[in-house]
Amino acid sequence: MPLSLMIARVLRLLLAAGALSGLVLAALWWSGKPPKETQGIWITNGYGLVFDISPVSIAIHEITPVSCIPWQTMPAHMGMVRRLAGYTFTAQGDDLSIAVADAVGDMRAYRVDALPDQCVNGRQAGPLETFDIFWRTFETHYPNFARYGVDWDARRDEAMAALAGNFDPKHLSDVMTHAVRDLDDGDIHLMTPSGDVSPHSPAPWDKDQRALWQVTDSYLTSERQFIETSGIRHGWLDGEIAYLGVHHMESEPPLGQTMASQAARVVDQLGALYADAKGVIVDLRFNAGGSDTVALTYAGLFSAADWPAGLKQTQITRGYMSPSTAFYGRGSQAALNAPVMVLTSSETSGAAETYVMAVGELAQVSIMGEPTNATPSNIMVRALPNQWQFTLPHQTYALANGTPVTQTGIAPDISYPFDVEGFSNGKDTMLEAALTRLAQAR
């Protein structure tokens, strides 16, 4: 056969194979497209988001009454969206439930006929409009003005007067920072080219965490171990008491898996290591939070079955909250039965407070230390037209019995101050008190 004919035959075979592969890929892609009942435009109750779901793409916009800023656009393949972006959509009539991986409780949305007007006929945003988006986001979603005694309407008037005639970016940043003064909330941040600013003032000792850890670790009678994927350092105290220093409530799962699944593997690992422990100390004094689902999974180290852990509400608009959503601790087959002391401080925040709420419902657990930071909430991350970003909390939490914790934090069972002077002398007196309590319980 002439070489030219051989080449032509090979090319035909390659083209046929390519066409077949393309058809297979197209069929696989088409099989993952959004169901017809899910397609359309949906506005969330709270969260300030619009989902525009078509057969080929999913576009998400951040909205306020005066703005619409594109946030994400992704291919509309439900399997890919679920595994890589963490969204699962379930439609029932004109209501949409949006489950988000590693978040507690689904977002709810309602169907609309068209994108909001501000998404279609938006105007170019200057400094005044940029501040207005910032202000309106807080006005709509932030639930804690009364806690800090802040008149948010007066803050807008003050800011608009300060901005008049001076549109320098640094000045705009200063005005925004001044607007949120006195909101001593660690979940509020403004990120600009000049840096990250927050109105929250952490405890003076917070900056010395690593030095304080070293004092605590000096009590270990075994080599300190560290679980890289979870930020947990651990070891034995007196050969019989397990010590777990939990730095944050996050984990690092493999691609396509959830943080909660990785956290469950950590629980299995710790359960096996400390199955013979006569007591456990969980140290959350330096824990600034992370994922609620990770926290609720870690709490399962002390319960074989799921249990009611607390309640949460999302602010829909100013003065109006969603119905309460219950959340649950996640039981584990690796659960330990030993008595537990959980150590807290004023810097125990966010999802670490969710953990305290959960384990506080268990009979074998006692909380020792200071009231927590009173900042449990998912965090909204919002963009501004000038590419700046800011964050704020938008939820309130309560214990399983309905007692609010967002205003006052979670009170310990056993009050004990964070002893800065003791640390400076090489002593962790709260840890020593917890060891004494566990010895008395045995």
Side-chain angles (χ1 to χ4, degrees), residues 98-170:
I98 307 165
V100 183
D102 293 312
V104 171
D106 295 350
M107 288 192 283
R108 304 291 180 179
Y110 58 93
R111 187 189 297 275
V112 294
D113 294 331
L115 287 170
D117 182 68
Q118 63 267 36
C119 296
V120 179
N121 300 308
R123 54 180 177 169
Q124 186 161 356
L128 291 176
E129 291 80 12
T130 296
F131 178 82
D132 199 29
I133 293 168
F134 177 79
W135 182 87
R136 286 179 183 271
T137 302
F138 275 85
E139 193 265 346
T140 301
H141 298 288
Y142 186 66
N144 298 328
F145 289 120
R147 173 184 175 185
Y148 299 108
V150 168
D151 183 340
W152 193 236
D153 294 315
R155 294 288 172 91
R156 184 182 189 279
D157 295 339
E158 177 185 89
M160 288 301 183
L163 283 171
N166 185 350
F167 300 145
D168 177 74
K170 177 63 167 62

Side-chain angles (χ1 to χ4, degrees), residues 325-353:
T325 298
F327 54 88
Y328 297 82
R330 301 180 176 184
S332 169
Q333 294 182 348
L336 305 177
N337 296 317
V340 181
M341 299 292 294
V342 176
L343 309 185
T344 62
S345 75
S346 62
E347 296 304 305
T348 303
S349 310
E353 295 178 273

Side-chain angles (χ1 to χ4, degrees), residues 5-23:
L5 291 179
M6 291 178 62
I7 293 173
R9 176 176 291 182
V10 170
L11 288 174
R12 284 196 298 271
L13 289 172
L14 289 173
L15 288 171
L20 181 60
S21 298
L23 289 172

